[in-house]
Amino acid sequence: MRTTVGIIGGGPAGLLLARLLHRAGIDCAVLESRTREYVEQRQRAGMLEQGTVDALREAGAAGRLDAEGLVHHGIELRFAGERHRIDFPALTGGRTVTIYAQAEIVKDLVALQLADGPPLLFEAEALAVEKPESERPVVRFRHEGRERTLSCDWVVGCDGSHGIARESFPTETSRTYAHDYPYSWLGILADVPPSCDELIYARGERGFALHSMRSASVSRLYLQVPNGTDPADWPDERIWDELAARFAIDADWTLDRGPITAKSVTPMRSHVHEPMRHGRLLLAGDAAHIVPPTGAKGLNLAVSDVRVLARALTELHRTGSARLLDSYSDSCLARVWQATRFSYDMTRMLHAQPNGDAFDHRMQLARLRRISASRHAAAELAANYSGLPLAL
């Protein structure tokens, strides 16, 4: 096989990049190791920054998003029995966020790709990226029981934190920065309408809790739990009781309960790989960086990488200039580190620290009270949460 851009990974980053390149007249092919059913059902993020919504519209992939997405104008912080709303449009000049599950984005992009886009191969396992320093890098992959090769001008690794693209970077020129957090999230999906109009971030001595949603009839909720927690140790009634306790405020508010359809435990970590380019191999999304989900940045960072990369490849295709490609890694990493900082700050502010003391507790409350009392502090949170402007 031969193409201009070989994309490893058929998640939202790889599929969106393929769509943007296709619309720009650039040949590409996507290799996805999993089945179509798997990638379309995989539960991941659901909060989209304004810029992510704009990118999906630009790609012609926002029909269902615009019809079914839930536009939110803020979030609610709960602590010390109080509730405080952060008004995004009032603090950011009109920016909002939208709730629309990552699995639905993938379904939309897959349908477009298969209908009129470039090749998308499922169950095509990338084995290695060969000669990334050359003008014709090659991706070796296994598909339908035999090994094949994809010869490219450029290779983009959108294959996540456990993929092979990042492994193709030379160790002597790569650096990894990582931080593991001493707690995880127990997440559930429940067939019950959300008990809130906007996301609730609750901080208390029992631990952190988050009330989100996937639709008007499906709730998505999370509990801070110790690392190594087995979801089987948390029967449904225990989960609902603990959520109710952590969301409790000194006001008339009730957490509605319903059938829990899925449970999972997500470890919390930060991870950044530098650089994001080696020769003609480039990384995007989770292949280059991981953030804890507290700041809702993972999917949105992946989309911002793809937007920068698509613009750079389009400029090269149309003008022959590699100026934007040469600055791709530095441009993306500047944004990545800001999102990593924001996610770290949100995580530290809202989670009970297993080895924390009374001083840590007071520092968290002081930070939360500063945000709830200061327009300047609230505006900083709102700007980061809704998405910092992307310099394109």
Side-chain angles (χ1 to χ4, degrees):
M1 291 179 63
R2 176 78 176 90
T3 193
T4 302
V5 181
I7 301 171
I8 306 173
L15 292 169
L16 179 58
L17 177 61
R19 190 68 188 164
L20 292 172
L21 295 179
H22 176 63
R23 290 168 71 89
I26 301 173
D27 293 334
C28 60
V30 181
L31 306 177
E32 168 53 49
S33 64
R34 304 282 192 165
T35 66
R36 178 180 180 180
E37 180 182 20
Y38 180 90
V39 298
E40 290 187 343
Q41 297 301 320
R42 185 167 41 192
Q43 293 296 326
R44 290 292 188 271
M47 197 291 292
L48 310 184
E49 295 175 357
Q50 182 73 61
T52 297
V53 173
D54 293 343
L56 291 166
R57 288 174 178 156
E58 177 187 346
R64 282 206 307 138
L65 165 62
D66 286 333
E68 302 174 17
L70 306 175
V71 177
H72 284 194
H73 295 82
I75 60 172
E76 183 179 304
L77 300 177
R78 291 191 178 185
F79 59 93
E82 305 168 7
R83 62 200 305 180
H84 300 274
R85 183 172 182 270
I86 308 298
D87 186 329
F88 291 164
L91 295 165
T92 64
R95 295 175 72 83
T96 61
V97 298
T98 301
I99 302 299
Y100 189 68
Q102 176 174 313
E104 302 308 311
I105 295 174
V106 170
K107 290 176 186 176
D108 296 341
L109 290 169
V110 166
L112 287 169
Q113 185 92 346
L114 295 178
D116 66 355
L120 167 57
L121 302 183
F122 290 104
E123 298 180 83
E125 179 187 6
L127 303 174
V129 179
E130 299 177 346
K131 302 183 292 184
E133 303 92 346
S134 73
E135 293 185 0
R136 293 289 185 273
V138 172
V139 181
R140 278 198 301 110
F141 66 100
R142 184 182 294 111
H143 185 241
E144 296 180 339
R146 64 187 182 94
E147 282 198 19
R148 304 174 64 182
T149 58
L150 177 63
S151 178
C152 321
D153 293 340
W154 300 89
V155 177
V156 182
C158 301
D159 51 345
S161 59
H162 300 294
I164 60 98
R166 192 171 67 203
E167 296 176 0
S168 301
F169 277 59
T171 56
E172 60 270 19
T173 59
S174 299
R175 296 195 66 180
T176 296
Y177 304 87
H179 178 75
D180 293 323
Y181 297 83
Y183 32 74
S184 298
W185 277 10
L186 170 63
I188 66 166
L189 279 172
D191 285 338
V192 59
S195 302
C196 52
D197 295 324
E198 297 170 336
L199 274 63
I200 301 173
Y201 286 77
R203 184 252 176 240
E205 294 186 19
R206 300 174 69 103
F208 168 78
L210 170 62
H211 193 323
S212 182
M213 64 281 292
R214 284 293 177 264
S215 69
S217 59
V218 177
S219 293
R220 181 71 159 153
L221 302 104
Y222 300 92
L223 285 168
Q224 176 187 347
V225 294
N227 286 338
T229 292
D230 185 347
D233 294 334
W234 283 78
D236 293 6
E237 186 175 359
R238 180 187 179 192
I239 290 174
W240 286 118
D241 288 347
E242 188 63 24
L243 285 167
R246 296 190 192 186
F247 287 126
I249 53 175
D250 299 330
D252 184 18
W253 184 87
T254 301
L255 175 67
D256 292 329
R257 306 184 179 203
I260 294 176
T261 59
K263 301 177 189 177
S264 62
V265 171
T266 302
M268 308 282 281
R269 62 190 179 109
S270 297
H271 183 283
V272 180
H273 179 276
E274 295 185 355
M276 291 173 61
R277 176 184 174 183
H278 170 61
R280 291 188 172 230
L281 170 62
L282 307 109
L283 303 179
D286 287 359
H289 41 73
I290 298 288
V291 291
T294 324
K297 292 294 146 220
L299 170 61
N300 295 294
L301 269 183
V303 169
S304 64
D305 290 347
V306 163
R307 294 179 76 190
V308 173
L309 183 52
R311 182 168 184 261
L313 288 167
T314 300
E315 181 181 79
L316 178 67
H317 174 70
R318 293 177 177 172
T319 71
S321 172
R323 176 183 59 91
L324 293 180
L325 270 174
D326 291 340
S327 63
Y328 168 72
S329 181
D330 289 341
S331 296
C332 287
L333 284 169
R335 186 180 182 86
V336 165
W337 277 112
Q338 287 302 315
T340 301
R341 173 202 57 79
F342 174 68
S343 300
Y344 177 86
D345 289 347
M346 287 281 285
T347 302
R348 289 283 300 177
M349 177 176 69
L350 291 164
H351 288 74
Q353 304 304 313
N355 298 317
D357 55 19
F359 178 82
D360 294 312
H361 172 75
R362 285 294 187 178
M363 289 297 290
Q364 288 176 308
L365 285 178
R367 176 64 178 144
L368 285 162
R369 292 204 180 282
R370 170 67 178 168
I371 291 170
S372 62
S374 164
R375 181 180 178 85
H376 175 77
E380 175 69 10
L381 187 154
N384 280 274
Y385 195 98
S386 61
L388 297 174
L390 187 64
L392 287 175

